[in-house]
């Protein structure tokens, strides 16, 4: 087990199915390829604070009707972390689950230790259409986890008020939960929803709007009320490239997701309101998530940490740098791997690199040097047979 979706435990992962990506070598926006899905999974595999993986793109260099199977293959061959998957239809879902069973060692093994969860959405407002219903029924019948998410747009497919949008999304998500339980009592489900903000001045949805963040927090509260794990959002932005706006909005979303108790917090690395993926944004979010996890971990208050005897021994005008107590505890502090804490002179000497450039260097280093733990050759070949 890698993620315990209980209480307010927060886990963070990427998003799926973007129609564009920013090439880390050219900096240009372009359509995603299957290799980009594999690279995103490989990057996440190496980043310690990214807990689960989604595809981050719709590959345009494979057959459209089975591109979802290619996405799953690219992910499962490039990470050992849990996967949130999407499937275009029931037939493809069956093939995807078959591949997952190959990796797990059989249907029973996958059910006992599921490393993949399927994402579904109704059609807002208030329509649980055929295909998402089929997916929920199939996953519940197999005893495998499914996310009963919603994707609403305030003022377009749900009320423009946050409360009204949350009420509608609550009903839509519970409808999926109900279908799963009618199929198999106790079927594992994740409750989800949000209210995307429709900016009436541009007619575009906003992933950085405070109203979007507030609806996500409300959804987490409703999930906690029902005693269900929650599907939430983090690390996403309306920015068109990884810049100061992307860093600011992504950080706000990440911190709010943890504070509100979201369990599966996805869309890390999303730019342009979910249309474009950025590997640099994932790397920066990994650093932010580290900070957030440190803060959410709280502080220990004990005789040792209060250090009253140490304060007494040092006394007025003394110093703690040479204290044995400092030596015992300084490594417990969070240390950055990407953010710069050095002097101005050191920063100049290293080429005056900003956060974007440092993140890009990390992306390239991981893509060029990291080797994910491989699956057995026999499993790899069987998976390829399903996809081809």
């Amino acid at each position: 087990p890698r993620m315990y979706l209980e209480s307010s435990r927060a886990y963070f992962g990427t998003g799926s199915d973007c129609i564009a990506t920013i090439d880390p070598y050219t900096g240009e926006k372009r359509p995603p390829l299957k290799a980009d899905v594999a690279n995103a999974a490989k990057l996440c595999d190496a980043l310690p604070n990214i807990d689960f993986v989604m595809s981050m793109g719709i590959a345009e260099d494979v057959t459209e009707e089975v591109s979802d199977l290619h996405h799953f293959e690219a992910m499962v061959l490039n990470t050992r972390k849990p996967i949130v998957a999407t499937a275009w239809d029931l037939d493809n879902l069956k093939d995807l689950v078959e591949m997952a069973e190959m990796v797990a060692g059989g249907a029973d093994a996958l059910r006992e230790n599921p490393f993949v969860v399927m994402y579904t959405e109704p059609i807002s407002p208030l329509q649980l259409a055929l295909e998402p219903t089929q997916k929920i029924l199939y996953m519940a019948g197999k005893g495998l986890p499914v996310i009963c998410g919603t994707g609403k747009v305030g003022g377009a497919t749900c009320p423009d008020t946050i409360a009204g949008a949350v009420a509608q999304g609550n009903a839509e998500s519970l409808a999926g939960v109900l279908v799963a339980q009618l199929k198999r009592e106790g079927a594992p489900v994740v409750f989800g929803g949000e209210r995307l903000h429709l900016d009436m001045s541009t007619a575009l949805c906003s992933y950085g709007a405070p109203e979007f963040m507030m609806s996500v927090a409300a959804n987490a509260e409703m999930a906690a009320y029902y005693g269900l794990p929650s599907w939430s959002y983090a690390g996403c932005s309306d920015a068109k490239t990884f810049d100061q706006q992307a860093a600011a909005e992504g950080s706000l979303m990440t911190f709010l997701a943890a504070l509100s108790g979201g369990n599966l917090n996805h869309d890390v690395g999303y730019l342009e309101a979910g249309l474009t993926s950025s590997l640099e944004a994932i790397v920066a979010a990994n650093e932010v998530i580290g900070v957030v996890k440190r803060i959410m971990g709280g502080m220990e208050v004990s005789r040792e940490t209060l250090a009253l005897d140490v304060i007494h021994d040092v006394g007025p005008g003394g110093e703690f740098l040479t204290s044995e107590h400092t030596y015992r505890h300084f490594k417990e502090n969070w240390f950055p791997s990407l953010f710069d804490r050095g002097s101005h002179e050191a920063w100049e000497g290293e080429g005056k690199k900003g956060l974007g450039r440092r993140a890009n260097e990390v992306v390239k280093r991981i893509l060029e040097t990291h080797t994910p733990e491989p699956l057995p050759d026999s499993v790899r070949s069987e998976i390829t047979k399903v996809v081809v």
Side-chain angles (χ1 to χ4, degrees):
R2 298 288 291 266
M3 299 186 294
Y4 293 87
L5 304 186
E6 303 166 348
S7 184
S8 58
R9 299 186 186 200
Y11 302 92
F12 297 87
T14 51
S16 70
D17 306 338
C18 295
I19 61 172
T21 189
I22 296 177
D23 191 301
Y25 289 92
T26 67
E28 297 299 316
K29 175 182 171 181
R30 59 169 174 76
L33 306 175
K34 184 176 181 179
D36 295 311
V37 178
N39 283 340
K42 184 177 182 180
L43 181 72
C44 293
D45 190 70
L47 295 173
N49 295 316
I50 302 298
D51 301 298
F52 65 92
V53 174
M54 295 186 78
S55 71
M56 290 300 281
I58 299 178
E60 290 210 352
D61 58 339
V62 298
T63 303
E64 180 180 357
E65 289 76 14
V66 291
S67 59
D68 50 348
L69 302 184
H70 285 276
H71 299 160
F72 184 75
E73 180 195 28
M75 289 186 287
V76 82
L77 295 182
N78 285 280
T79 184
R80 297 287 74 79
K81 293 185 177 181
I83 294 172
V84 178
T86 54
W88 302 156
D89 53 37
L90 180 60
D91 289 337
N92 285 13
L93 173 58
K94 292 178 178 179
D95 287 340
L96 191 152
V97 170
E98 180 184 354
M99 289 191 287
E101 290 173 346
M102 293 173 183
V103 174
D108 291 340
L110 182 63
R111 185 163 47 251
E112 289 295 319
N113 291 289
F115 70 91
V116 61
V117 56
M118 178 56 52
Y119 179 73
T120 66
E121 266 189 25
I123 299 176
S124 298
L126 304 174
Q127 298 177 86
L128 195 54
L130 176 63
E131 287 188 352
T133 304
Q134 289 176 328
K135 295 173 190 175
I136 293 170
L137 289 170
Y138 180 77
M139 294 296 285
K142 298 280 287 185
L144 297 174
V146 61
I147 298 165
C148 300
T150 66
K152 312 172 299 299
V153 180
T157 60
C158 72
D160 199 40
T161 57
I162 301 172
V166 170
Q168 178 185 307
N170 194 71
E172 292 172 346
S173 187
L174 283 182
V177 172
L178 174 62
V179 168
Q181 301 312 305
L182 290 174
K183 177 65 177 180
R184 184 187 184 113
E185 186 176 352
V189 292
V190 179
F191 178 93
E194 91 300 311
R195 171 249 196 216
L196 285 170
H197 175 71
L198 181 63
D199 189 320
M200 294 298 181
S201 65
T202 63
L204 298 175
C205 293
S206 171
Y207 271 55
E211 294 82 5
F212 173 57
M213 300 181 195
M214 293 166 69
S215 73
V216 168
N219 168 73
E221 289 191 18
M222 291 309 303
Y225 174 78
Y226 294 126
L228 293 171
S230 61
W231 178 242
S232 194
Y233 296 74
C236 44
S237 171
D238 294 324
K240 307 307 177 285
T241 187
F242 178 62
D243 58 10
Q244 291 91 336
Q245 177 184 340
E249 290 178 341
S251 298
L252 285 169
M253 283 293 296
T254 300
F255 203 10
L256 182 67
L259 288 172
S260 61
N263 299 128
L264 280 176
N265 303 293
H266 79 304
D267 284 358
V268 170
Y270 262 18
L271 299 181
E272 201 177 351
L275 298 177
T276 302
S277 64
S278 166
L279 300 187
E280 289 83 0
I282 299 174
V283 168
N286 175 75
E287 190 89 337
V288 172
I289 293 166
V291 175
V292 169
K293 288 183 175 181
R294 174 65 184 92
I295 294 171
M296 296 301 295
M299 65 177 180
E300 177 190 347
V301 180
S302 64
R303 185 182 182 91
E304 169 69 11
T305 61
L306 281 173
L308 298 182
D309 54 339
V310 180
I311 297 170
H312 175 76
D313 290 342
V314 169
E319 52 82 20
F320 293 85
L321 188 60
T322 58
S323 168
E324 178 66 25
H325 187 271
T326 299
Y327 180 75
R328 288 200 304 271
H329 290 283
F330 83 93
K331 291 184 180 180
E332 298 170 5
N333 295 309
W334 181 85
F335 286 88
S337 60
L338 183 67
F339 293 166
D340 180 20
R341 285 183 176 176
S343 68
H344 191 276
E345 292 75 17
W347 174 71
E348 284 188 326
E350 293 173 359
K352 300 181 180 180
K353 299 175 185 176
L355 178 61
R357 183 174 165 190
R358 294 196 300 274
N360 180 258
E361 289 177 351
V362 172
V363 169
K364 292 176 180 176
R365 182 174 70 249
I366 290 175
L367 295 185
E368 293 165 10
T369 63
H370 179 66
T371 302
E373 179 185 343
L375 292 174
D377 291 341
S378 58
V379 175
R380 294 173 66 95
S381 62
E382 289 301 311
I383 289 174
T384 302
K385 291 178 184 178
V386 175
V387 175
V388 174

